[in-house]
């Protein structure tokens, strides 16, 4: 056998190992099958591009993210229909919205469904995030999926913020005014960039047009990109195992079920039920349009953001932050969001079971309860500054109640397990040595600091670049740009290095490269 | 046993298809430029979607040779009845 023969044989084997659409069985019978086969061969419709799902995933909680996407699709359809009539200018925004309401067939229906589905999208995204928090879906190897999901959550809030202004009602204008006020209180690199991005220099007309562009072009494009990234990662990593772990899952539930038709039909059922719930709510509580914005009418309204930002609004109204200033309050909010974003690097334990993570579950429950309390409280007290004692009493009381509730629930479950003769849940054992854990903690903290520096640097870069374009060349702007670029480079290198160290610590690279293990000696 | 499941499933699918036809008929008879008409449109569309979800569920159960969950079927039927009544209340 010559070398050419061997190479040809190898190429044949390689070709055979990768299935193509041409390899799929096809037996055209009638004209319909022939047409279907034509499309199938060219588009690869029957090519197995989505992996099968385990039986335990046939549960609505596993598909909260998919329902969020369904809400996004409904938003896209209803929004596109409304775009046909809406005019994004202060003079015509309200009248065109009113025209959709009063004169367009299904107009009020479209507006109402668009609004309630937007609310549902935010609620579903939040539920999806909190479910992920409680069952620790962000554990290795799904850290990047969690970060992408969190970014998608921020974009969803951005949709709410930008879309709320578009009808140009007095309520929406006032609410947006509160949001823009918060942005101006941020440190200068952020505020300069964000103010340029969302407001511009051309008054109301510029602001409305920018909000409209962000709402219908930029944010959907960003969300779709993030969605594709997340779908790719989901396909690569698969659906996360149940909270109790795969070991305790019955064999029947581990069985794989085909993505089509079983999982697809299940998703269609969930989507249909979700859609019908939205329709029912829209029919029972149809939207009524508040009055048009004008400075005279605005004076009669107290500025208040929409419900999903009420918790931030209420934090800003606490007396302690009124005194310390808006930047301090916003820093607290930003810190909460950064902690959520970087959760996979903060929680390095390997246990996923809710029963073994009481402190972690309690923290999550406190977070949800405080958000709910702050939102309701903010709705009930528009424009009132909250005294320190009252704030401490309500927020502290809520936290205390949640802690007590969680402790009692855990005790009841522990007793029930004992009385049923089951083994007590063993305390989670640390999987790494103390020295390594301390190094992990330091790495995570340095990582947070570096990300903060990177964020500042990015904002500085953009704001100085914008300044150079708008104001022309100036030495101070060039200095800022150079310094920001240097800061960005340093922080990116630092982040890459720390990610690498974390990877080393988890053991995957440890055996391969010993030289980087300085200071990471395991006992 | 399997044939019994099949017969029950076919009857249920027939019932839900009939409901879909009725709701679709109502959908096309509505004046959708006023609040009540649009509300009724939303409700009949919701009936249509619930029926569709039920047909899909029955199909899945039939395909996997599983017994239907009576609670789910009963819940779906109740939801359709409530929706129909809600359309008259609007």
């Amino acid at each position: 056998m010559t070398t050419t023969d061997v190479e040809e044989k190898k190429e044949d084997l390689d070709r055979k190992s990768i299935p193509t659409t041409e390899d799929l069985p096809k037996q055209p019978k009638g004209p319909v099958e022939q047409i279907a086969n034509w499309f199938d061969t060219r588009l690869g419709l029957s090519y197995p591009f989505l992996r099968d799902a385990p039986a335990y995933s046939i549960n609505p909680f596993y598909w909260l993210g998919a329902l969020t996407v369904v809400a996004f699709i409904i938003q896209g359809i209803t929004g596109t229909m409304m775009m046909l009539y809406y005019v994004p200018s202060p003079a015509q925004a309200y009248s065109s919205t009113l025209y959709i309401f009063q004169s367009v067939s299904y107009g009020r229906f479209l507006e109402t469904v668009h609004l309630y589905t937007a609310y549902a999208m935010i609620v579903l995204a939040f539920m999806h995030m909190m479910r992920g928090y409680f069952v620790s879906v962000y554990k290795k190897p799904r850290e990047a999926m969690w970060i992408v999901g969190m970014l998608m959550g921020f974009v969803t809030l951005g949709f709410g913020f930008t879309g709320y202004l578009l009808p140009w009602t007095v309520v929406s204008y006032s609410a947006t005014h509160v949001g823009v006020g918060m942005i101006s209180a941020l440190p200068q690199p952020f505020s300069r960039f964000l103010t340029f991005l969302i407001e511009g220099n051309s008054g109301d007309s510029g602001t409305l047009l920018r909000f409209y562009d962000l709402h219908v072009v930029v944010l959907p494009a960003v969300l779709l990109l993030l969605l594709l990234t997340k779908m790719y990662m989901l396909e690569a990593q698969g659906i996360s195992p149940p909270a109790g772990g795969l070991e305790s899952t019955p064999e029947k539930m581990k069985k794989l079920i085909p993505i089509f038709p079983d999982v697809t039909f299940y998703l269609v059922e969930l989507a249909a039920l979700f859609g019908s719930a939205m329709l029912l709510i829209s029919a029972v509580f149809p939207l009524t349009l508040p009055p048009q914005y004008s400075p005279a009418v605005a004076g009669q309204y107290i500025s208040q953001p929409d419900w999903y930002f009420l918790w931030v609004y209420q934090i800003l109204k606490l007396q302690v932050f009124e005194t310390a200033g808006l930047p301090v309050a916003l820093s607290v909010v930003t810190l909460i969001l950064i902690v959520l974003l970087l959760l996979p690097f903060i929680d390095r334990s390997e246990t996923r079971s809710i029963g073994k993570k009481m402190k972690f579950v309690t923290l999550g429950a406190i977070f949800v309860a405080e958000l709910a309390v702050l939102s309701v409280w903010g709705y009930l007290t528009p424009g009132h500054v909250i005294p320190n004692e009252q704030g401490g009493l309500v927020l502290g009381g809520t936290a205390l109640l949640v802690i007590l509730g969680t402790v009692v629930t855990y005790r009841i479950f522990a007793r029930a397990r004992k009385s049923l003769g089951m083994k007590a849940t063993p305390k989670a054992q640390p999987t790494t040595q103390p020295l390594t854990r301390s190094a992990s903690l330091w790495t995570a903290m340095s990582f947070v600091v570096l990300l903060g520096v990177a964020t500042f640097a990015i904002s500085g870069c953009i704001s100085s670049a914008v300044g150079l374009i708008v104001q022309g060349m100036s030495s101070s702007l060039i200095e800022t740009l150079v310094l920001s670029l240097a800061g960005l480079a340093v922080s990116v290198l630092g982040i890459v290095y720390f990610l690498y160290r974390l990877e080393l610590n988890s053991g995957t690279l440890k055996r391969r490269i010993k030289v980087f293990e300085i200071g990471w000696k395991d006992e | 046993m399997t044939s019994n499941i099949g017969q029950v499933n076919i009857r249920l699918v027939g019932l839900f298809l009939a409901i879909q036809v009725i709701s679709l008929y109502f959908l096309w008879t509505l004046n959708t430029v006023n609040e009540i008409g649009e509300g009724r449109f939303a409700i009949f569309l919701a009936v249509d979607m619930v029926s569709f979800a039920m047909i899909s569920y029955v199909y899945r159960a039939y395909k996997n040779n599983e017994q239907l969950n009576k609670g789910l079927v009963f819940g779906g039927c109740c939801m359709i009845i409530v929706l129909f009544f809600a359309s008259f209340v609007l």
Side-chain angles (χ1 to χ4, degrees):
Chain A
M1 195 182 268
T2 61
T3 323
T4 328
D5 286 343
V6 172
E7 278 173 5
E8 272 177 14
K9 201 153 197 170
K10 191 172 174 290
E11 272 179 23
D12 276 354
L13 279 170
D14 286 345
R15 227 174 280 138
K16 275 173 191 165
S17 62
I18 305 164
T20 64
T21 48
E22 285 174 13
D23 298 328
L24 296 166
K26 41 186 179 286
Q27 293 163 331
K29 289 171 190 168
V32 176
E33 281 89 347
Q34 279 185 1
I35 293 167
N37 186 51
W38 191 93
F39 278 106
D40 189 13
T41 314
R42 276 137 194 99
L43 303 175
L45 296 174
S46 55
Y47 192 83
F49 62 94
L50 284 174
R51 66 158 78 187
D52 295 342
Y56 63 77
S57 69
I58 297 295
N59 175 334
F61 286 106
Y62 274 86
W63 301 101
L64 288 170
L67 283 180
T68 315
V69 176
V70 170
F72 176 58
I73 293 168
I74 298 174
Q75 293 279 290
I77 295 167
T78 51
T80 308
M81 288 179 181
M82 289 193 294
M83 269 169 70
L84 302 174
Y85 298 95
Y86 178 76
V87 184
S89 81
Q92 287 175 286
Y94 186 82
S95 56
S96 58
T97 311
L98 202 62
Y99 177 76
I100 297 171
F101 249 69
Q102 292 175 344
S103 308
V104 176
S105 250
Y106 310 104
R108 188 192 304 263
F109 166 72
L110 286 174
E111 291 258 10
T112 312
V113 170
H114 192 77
L115 178 79
Y116 287 135
T117 319
Y119 289 167
M121 190 174 164
I122 292 169
V123 172
L124 284 167
F126 181 73
M127 283 169 69
H128 184 47
M129 180 191 83
M130 287 320 294
R131 185 215 163 246
Y133 173 91
F134 286 120
V135 302
S136 309
V137 292
Y138 50 79
K139 298 279 179 191
K140 191 181 168 187
R142 295 182 180 80
E143 296 98 327
M145 265 176 94
W146 171 268
I147 292 174
V148 172
M150 284 301 298
L151 293 177
M152 288 172 80
F154 297 153
V155 173
T156 306
L157 287 176
F159 267 115
F161 183 60
T162 51
Y164 201 57
L165 177 71
L166 300 186
W168 208 248
T169 62
V170 64
V171 178
S172 65
Y173 186 91
S174 310
T176 311
H177 185 69
V178 174
V180 173
M182 287 181 198
I183 289 166
S184 350
L186 288 168
Q188 218 197 355
F190 290 111
S191 63
R192 204 159 152 193
F193 164 57
L194 288 172
T195 311
F196 169 77
L197 187 72
I198 64 173
E199 268 200 310
N201 306 316
S202 47
D204 282 348
S205 59
T207 307
L208 183 60
L209 197 58
R210 274 157 204 257
F211 268 61
Y212 180 70
D213 289 342
L214 285 170
H215 191 73
V216 303
V217 180
V218 180
L219 292 177
V222 174
L223 194 65
L224 277 175
L225 199 68
L226 290 170
L227 180 63
L228 283 176
T229 315
K230 203 174 176 202
M231 286 300 293
Y232 174 78
M233 286 194 270
L234 178 69
E235 192 52 22
Q237 312 289 1
I239 290 172
S240 63
L246 276 176
E247 300 78 32
S248 55
T249 310
E251 282 303 317
K252 192 184 156 196
M253 300 306 283
K254 284 188 212 168
K255 187 183 72 176
L256 288 177
I257 47 174
I259 196 80
F260 188 84
D262 294 64
V263 179
T264 312
F265 272 59
Y266 179 68
L267 280 178
V268 166
E269 285 157 35
L270 285 181
L273 289 177
F274 168 71
S276 53
M278 287 297 103
L279 289 170
L280 179 63
I281 295 170
S282 308
V284 178
F285 306 105
L287 184 62
T288 47
L289 206 60
Q292 185 177 7
Y293 166 75
S294 72
V297 183
Q300 299 162 14
Y301 282 81
I302 298 169
S303 300
Q304 199 176 21
D306 209 4
W307 63 268
Y308 40 86
F309 283 126
L310 274 176
W311 66 280
V312 183
Y313 173 68
Q314 191 64 5
I315 288 178
L316 300 184
K317 287 196 312 173
L318 292 172
Q319 194 187 10
V320 60
F321 293 126
E322 283 276 323
T323 326
L326 213 50
V328 179
L330 287 174
S331 305
V332 172
V333 175
T334 313
L335 190 70
I336 294 170
L337 297 179
I338 287 177
V339 166
L340 277 173
L341 186 71
L342 300 177
L343 198 61
F345 306 105
I346 294 166
D347 174 23
R348 302 295 294 170
S349 69
E350 284 182 17
T351 180
R352 295 181 43 144
S353 171
I354 295 176
K356 294 175 190 171
K357 296 170 61 174
M358 194 178 89
K359 285 178 202 162
F360 208 69
V361 170
T362 311
L363 273 177
I366 290 174
F367 175 67
V368 176
E370 298 286 13
L371 276 191
V373 166
L374 283 168
S375 301
V376 175
W377 201 10
Y379 177 74
L380 295 175
T381 56
H384 292 277
V385 175
I386 308 298
N388 286 338
E389 305 78 39
Q390 201 182 351
L393 206 64
V394 174
L395 297 178
T398 308
L400 199 65
L401 276 177
V402 173
I403 291 167
L404 282 173
T406 323
V407 170
V408 169
T409 313
Y410 269 80
R411 291 269 165 173
I412 290 170
F413 272 99
R415 282 196 183 181
R417 286 175 73 88
K418 209 173 178 182
S419 63
L420 286 169
M422 294 162 80
K423 279 183 190 172
T425 314
K427 202 178 173 184
Q429 293 297 317
T431 51
T432 48
Q433 297 296 330
L435 185 68
T436 320
R437 275 190 288 124
S438 146
S440 282
L441 191 68
W442 277 110
T443 309
M445 281 170 70
S446 317
F447 192 74
V448 172
V449 171
L450 277 171
L451 268 174
V453 174
T455 321
F456 261 104
I458 291 169
S459 305
C461 286
I462 296 169
S463 97
S464 49
V466 167
L468 282 170
I469 294 164
V470 176
Q471 299 163 13
M473 296 292 270
S474 93
S475 56
S476 65
L477 283 172
I478 291 171
E479 270 172 28
T480 318
L481 184 63
V482 170
L483 279 174
S484 305
L485 282 172
L488 187 63
V490 169
S491 44
V492 165
L493 282 174
I495 287 167
V496 170
Y497 175 66
F498 277 113
L499 275 174
Y500 191 70
R501 279 176 72 115
L502 279 173
E503 198 65 17
L504 274 178
N505 188 37
S506 66
T508 45
L509 295 173
K510 206 176 270 180
R511 284 178 200 157
R512 278 183 276 168
I513 306 167
K514 292 275 182 190
V515 70
F516 284 96
E517 288 197 64
I518 304 156
W520 288 79
K521 284 173 193 163
D522 286 350
E523 282 167 18
Chain B
M1 181 69 181
T2 313
S3 62
N4 276 346
I5 292 175
Q7 277 181 358
V8 171
N9 288 354
I10 288 169
R11 279 179 199 160
L12 274 172
V13 169
L15 172 73
F16 289 124
L17 272 175
I19 291 168
Q20 279 198 308
V21 171
I22 294 167
S23 64
L24 272 174
Y25 169 75
F26 278 118
L27 279 181
W28 291 109
T29 60
L30 294 165
N31 172 14
T32 51
V33 194
N34 63 54
E35 194 177 328
I36 296 170
E38 283 176 308
R40 283 192 180 147
F41 175 84
I43 284 190
F44 287 125
L45 198 57
V47 169
D48 212 25
M49 290 174 94
V50 175
S51 307
F52 181 72
M54 295 310 295
I55 291 171
S56 169
Y57 170 61
V58 173
Y59 166 75
R60 266 198 313 127
Y62 175 69
K63 186 184 157 285
N64 296 328
N65 207 15
E66 287 169 0
Q67 285 280 1
L68 286 172
N69 184 332
K70 284 175 189 162
L72 276 179
V73 176
F74 183 71
C77 292
C78 284
M79 202 166 161
I80 290 170
I81 292 167
V82 169
L83 284 168
F84 264 123
F85 274 104
S87 72
F88 296 115
V89 175
L90 278 179

